[in-house]
Amino acid sequence: RRTHKPEVSGSIPLPATKSVKIKYMKKNFLNLGRQPLANSFLPSNSKKTLSREFFYNLNISFNTSSYLVSVTKPVNPKLQYTDKYAHRASESQTARNAFAKTAKKLNKKFSPNIIMEIGSNDGVFIKNFSRNKVIAVEPCKNLANLTKNKYKTFPDFWNKKLANKIFLKSKKADIIFSANTISHIPNLKETFDAIEYSLSRNGVLVIEDPSLHSVIKNTSYDQFYDEHVYVFSALSISNILRSSRLRLFDAEKIETHGGSMRYYVCRDAAKYKQTKKLNLILKGEKKAKLNKLSTFISFAKKVKKSKKELNKIFKVLKNKKKMIISYGATYKSSTIFNYCKIGKKLIDYVTDTTLNKQGKFTPGQHIPIVSPEIGMNNKVDFAFLGAWNFKKEILKKEKKFIRNGGKFITHVPFPKIISK
Ligand code: TMP
């Protein structure tokens, strides 16, 4: 039986955020160079289109006070989350299964009456709930259009204004879910203040985002790109929540995106106790020194080495006249190709299952994208795993390619040709 009734919010709207002076103690530790927007695929490779491409400098910094790792100068979100946003969360079977499993788990654990998702993409998570319980927030209009007929969908950025619009006169959310989205929002203070306002008394915010610990372990520097303004650790999340009267009470490691973390957050006065599992994770992160600048300085050295070794593999194979393609037009591969300067001379094309990426060109390096049906043919000798986080699914799917002598290349945890 439910032990609390979802609250109807009072008539007090959220005030605008006052400009608070935050003590910035950001130290740059990694420069990934001039980068394009990783999800901005070009419709053509004409001179005119290329001349308009947007670039920025991707520097990564560590805040020695909050332990937060972030893009030093984030890009304006209005340039990123447009009505042409390409990424579809439903594209992989692994992702579809993971979201269905998570929905089932959250239903069982919290029996929510109202579930809101921030960054609902193509509806891959919300479709697991009955439509009268769901509120979807998605600023990319092309994606919001995919869910608006079935689910209450707000085609807006998450902020206090939207929280007021949704919750001023209606029941607050028992679950706020956000996968791979909170890390994309530059203004965390406003984001969490608006969440605190929108949660019911014992409501739970569930965040999934790539884990800094995994990035450090795998030298997966490709987790850094324009949209990942932050790569969180449990240590940094628990620090930054405090100023919004929220607290982290549980966390668990998940496999999504090559190593993510699911964080459970509640209001300060909610009934949940901090779990042993979270204590162990925090302890593990301290042991890995995710609270020390020196960790990130040595990580940056490993990144440089990884770049060198990956280029060497490509060079050796090209000297042997091997045909190399890339598998999955991912944001991750955008960071790698632009940082390592791996372009059309080394990679013939990229395959991707997403219809609206096919026929386009990759950001920055302008490599053509084709469907796997066309691209995975017997002329291909090597395929770089752009979607390395779906390695299991891909190796299973591409048995024929492997049987015919095709091989995959990966850069995690270090650059190598996968030999099996
Ligand atoms: P993501 O890592 O951002 O979810 O993106 C994965 C991309 O890889 C997405 O564009 C779909 C593509 N992909 C394939 O082309 N083939 C596959 O088998 C899988 C799993 C993904």
Side-chain angles (χ1 to χ4, degrees), residues 39 41 85-95 180 223 225 256-258 326-333 350-358 369-372 386-395 397-398:
N39 258 316
F41 297 89
Y85 193 71
H87 177 70
R88 297 278 184 284
S90 292
E91 278 304 314
S92 112
Q93 184 65 46
T94 315
N180 305 302
Q223 287 291 11
Y225 74 111
T256 327
H257 290 292
S326 187
Y327 198 102
T330 58
Y331 60 76
K332 299 185 184 74
S333 54
V350 182
T351 66
D352 200 287
T353 51
T354 316
L355 286 179
N356 65 347
K357 289 185 186 176
Q358 294 166 9
I369 304 167
V370 301
S371 72
W388 60 269
N389 47 316
F390 296 118
K391 182 175 152 190
K392 261 193 213 154
E393 180 179 337
I394 293 169
L395 294 193
K397 208 190 291 186
E398 299 301 343

Side-chain angles (χ1 to χ4, degrees), residues 115-171:
I115 302 116
M116 176 171 74
E117 182 173 22
I118 302 175
S120 48
N121 198 276
D122 56 7
V124 63
F125 174 73
I126 54 170
K127 73 174 184 204
N128 297 293
F129 296 92
S130 51
R131 61 161 77 181
N132 57 342
K133 290 186 168 185
V134 166
I135 301 167
V137 174
E138 175 51 64
C140 303
K141 306 273 186 292
N142 58 332
L143 295 174
N145 281 341
L146 299 175
T147 61
K148 72 171 186 197
N149 292 334
K150 196 157 177 199
Y151 300 96
K152 195 179 205 178
T153 303
F154 292 85
D156 299 300
F157 284 97
W158 175 251
N159 54 27
K160 285 185 172 181
K161 197 171 155 205
L162 185 61
N164 277 329
K165 184 168 153 189
I166 302 175
F167 291 106
L168 188 58
K169 290 194 182 106
S170 51
K171 285 180 181 167

